Amino acid sequence: MNVVLDLVGIGFVVTATLLIGVYGLRISRTTSDFFVASRTVRPVWNASAISGEYLSAGTFLGLSGLVLLEGARGFWFPIGYAAGYLLVLVFVAAPLRRSGAYTIPDFIEARLESVRARRVTSLAVLVIGWLYIVPQLHGAGLTLTVVAGLPQWIGEAAIAVLVAASVAAGGMRAITYVQAFQYWLKLFALLVPLICIAFALTGGPHDIDPAAVFPPSAGPAGFGAYETASLMMALLLGTMGLPHVLVRFYTSPTGVSARNTTVLVIVMVSAFYAVSSGMGLVARIVAPDLAVPEVADTVALVLPSRLFPGLFGELLTALIVAGAFAAFLATSAGLVVSLAGVVSQDVFSGSVRSFRVSAVLCTAVPLVVALLTAPAGLGSSVGMVFVFAASILSPVVLLGVWWRGLTARGAVAGMITGGVACALSLLVHAAIDGVGAAAPFLAQPAAWTIPLAAATTVVVSIMDARGAPPRTDRYLGRLHTPERA
């Protein structure tokens, strides 16, 4: 690796981010610009931005590491990540846009006419967002440690400062342009090295053992039927509970535009997953010694230099480093935008100034957590966030869009039940060794926490003597009535 070239690549990403952010600042003037880009983002731009923020550190570095460790079993993760947008497309994309809300708490309050339900939703959004930002900061620190030998905290602090500054400066409109640019940079940053590596392996001395690249076991990470089903439930429904994903649909001009955006997102993220997974498969051929949990996440960074000693390999590595930093920036910025909107409206005045203050606060909290914790596997860390989001928010969002009987008490009870059950399950599994037959149910709890949260929501809503808000039918009619051409 060439430290100078790697730092130049990082500097390019940082400079491009700042320049695009300055451009966005020039055209971000109103409150609507900062919260939802004045609902004027067209499908191609919006899909690029959504893909940019969705493809996080867990995808850019972690997915290659997962495939290196598990072979074909690692493909369950990209399948779940991409397929989650099918559910978003079918069930919530257009209705959420038609709701006219700025944030998920806005939608819940308008749907249920309850300030308490809004506050619980806001807390859930903050927890999910902060948990998702921490792996991005860890990934940035890991990257700088690998390529430049710098302490872990420097990368974490650098990303946090840059994200806070860019979000506070231009809000949603500026970040939309930044994330759209970063998606194409990330795709290019992995696709070019993968093509070069594939050509280098053509006719080379490397013997490809199909059994090594594609292990016969069907489940991910040696999972059985329960673990596989539970993981897929978490990934499919977790997408629907991620605040930075859902808030993007509020920026579309119409519900039809939101649907078109989602279709494009499925195509874009699938293309990237194919490239990232391909890097992991190549690594199983030429770098099997890196298949160690502590170092597998670094495989995309070190692979080019193994096949191309000298300047060419160093240039490819610098390109991947630039793409990795784009991944950390895009996802972190998207999360901070969505969280700042919630905090600004729920805690402060909902003005542009309060949005900027909220952006700094929402970046500071996960930075402190990242500095106090050690990095875990990036792919598995992000996967746990999907479990949490699927258990807390997904049932309420789905029922809020499609079931008129939902009440505020039911929504609150369901969110608390899902969140507590999921958190306790993961904490017990992490704290207690040798839990025996209960281990799969604690390690992958989505298969029972999601139905538990949904059932609690439905039962409490049915038993609620106050019933649904009186204007429910009118509001649902608004969600499901297509716009006129």
Side-chain angles (χ1 to χ4, degrees), residues 250-423:
Y250 298 135
T251 66
S252 295
T254 65
V256 174
S257 178
R259 287 184 181 274
N260 293 338
T261 296
T262 311
V263 173
L264 290 174
V265 169
I266 295 172
V267 175
M268 289 180 178
V269 298
S270 298
F272 184 88
Y273 289 144
V275 174
S276 182
S277 302
M279 187 70 77
L281 289 177
V282 169
R284 290 181 68 83
I285 301 170
V286 299
D289 58 297
L290 297 178
V292 180
E294 290 76 16
V295 298
D297 286 336
T298 67
V299 64
L301 298 172
V302 302
L303 196 57
S305 59
R306 287 203 171 192
L307 288 132
F308 305 103
L311 180 61
F312 185 65
E314 293 170 352
L315 288 172
L316 290 180
T317 300
L319 180 61
I320 294 176
V321 170
F325 257 73
F328 311 140
L329 283 170
T331 300
S332 299
L335 287 160
V336 171
V337 164
S338 63
L339 300 185
V342 171
V343 173
S344 175
Q345 295 191 54
D346 286 15
V347 179
F348 300 111
S349 61
S351 64
V352 170
R353 182 178 180 181
S354 68
F355 179 93
R356 288 171 166 162
V357 173
S358 301
V360 175
L361 294 176
C362 290
T363 309
V365 173
L367 175 59
V368 172
V369 175
L371 293 174
L372 296 176
T373 56
L378 296 179
S380 58
S381 297
V382 171
M384 290 302 99
V385 179
F386 273 71
V387 176
F388 206 64
S391 301
I392 298 179
L393 283 184
S394 297
V396 173
V397 171
L398 266 176
L399 291 171
V401 171
W402 292 100
W403 184 45
R404 74 167 313 279
L406 179 67
T407 69
R409 289 178 177 175
V412 170
M415 286 188 284
I416 293 176
T417 300
V420 171
C422 183

Side-chain angles (χ1 to χ4, degrees), residues 60-227:
F60 194 91
L61 297 179
L63 183 55
S64 298
L66 279 172
V67 174
L68 171 62
L69 288 171
E70 305 298 338
R73 292 173 294 196
F75 278 92
W76 283 102
F77 286 87
I79 289 172
Y81 291 146
Y85 272 100
L86 288 174
L87 299 187
V88 172
L89 170 65
V90 172
F91 294 112
V92 300
L96 285 181
R97 168 57 190 91
R98 296 183 189 119
S99 71
Y102 278 169
T103 64
I104 297 304
D106 280 348
F107 166 71
I108 294 298
E109 182 181 23
R111 168 67 175 81
L112 301 176
E113 300 179 17
S114 168
V115 175
R116 186 175 68 158
R118 178 195 179 95
R119 289 173 179 168
V120 174
T121 306
S122 298
L123 180 60
V125 166
L126 288 174
V127 171
I128 292 168
W130 285 335
L131 288 175
Y132 210 143
I133 294 174
V134 171
Q136 315 311 313
L137 302 181
H138 281 159
L142 175 67
T143 300
L144 276 186
T145 299
V146 171
V147 303
L150 297 176
Q152 176 85 19
W153 67 269
I154 292 180
E156 296 170 352
I159 287 292
V161 171
L162 185 58
V163 166
S166 59
V167 172
M172 178 66 81
R173 185 178 289 280
I175 291 302
T176 296
Y177 296 122
V178 170
Q179 290 173 330
F181 159 75
Q182 288 170 340
Y183 166 75
W184 295 104
L185 173 62
K186 285 185 283 188
L187 182 62
F188 181 78
L190 279 187
L191 180 60
V192 171
L194 180 61
I195 292 174
C196 293
I197 292 171
F199 275 113
L201 294 179
T202 303
H206 302 284
D207 295 324
I208 300 177
D209 181 4
V213 179
F214 298 101
S217 175
F223 287 179
Y226 167 79
E227 293 95 331

Side-chain angles (χ1 to χ4, degrees), residues 415-464:
M415 286 188 284
I416 293 176
T417 300
V420 171
C422 183
L424 288 178
S425 175
L426 297 176
L427 289 174
V428 169
H429 180 265
I432 302 177
D433 294 327
V435 291
F441 300 95
L442 297 176
Q444 293 291 337
W448 60 271
T449 56
I450 297 173
L452 177 63
T456 301
T457 303
V458 171
V459 170
V460 174
S461 294
I462 292 175
M463 296 177 61
D464 188 352

